[in-house]
Amino acid sequence: NTSESDVTVETLEDVPEHVLRGLPEDVRLFPSAVDKTRLGVWATKSILKGKKFGPFVGDKKKRSQV
């Protein structure tokens, strides 16, 4: 069994600078609503359907890997 004190919580210091620089102005990283130990991507206002932003930097993952 793992105690809660052994759980690592992801913070903004764990996020590479290029990721933070690449976020659209209305998107922020906050604690995830799904996994409290991870950061999640949150919109500070509605994002219109079809809106594109990028470029994507990083490794693409399959849904089963996240």
Side-chain angles (χ1 to χ4, degrees):
N1 287 339
T2 302
S3 69
E4 285 187 32
S5 62
D6 293 339
V7 176
T8 302
V9 177
E10 187 175 35
T11 67
L12 288 176
E13 287 88 33
D14 300 317
V15 179
E17 184 61 35
H18 71 274
V19 172
L20 297 174
R21 282 194 313 267
L23 289 175
E25 74 178 60
D26 296 322
V27 174
R28 301 287 184 267
L29 298 178
F30 293 118
S32 171
V34 177
D35 180 347
K36 299 299 183 195
T37 67
R38 305 291 310 269
L39 293 174
V41 179
W42 296 82
T44 59
K45 68 179 191 179
S46 295
I47 299 173
L48 297 175
K49 183 178 179 179
K51 177 78 171 169
K52 294 183 181 184
F53 49 87
F56 174 78
V57 178
D59 298 323
K60 292 187 178 181
K61 303 284 184 186
K62 294 180 182 177
R63 184 175 295 268
S64 62
Q65 296 174 297
V66 296

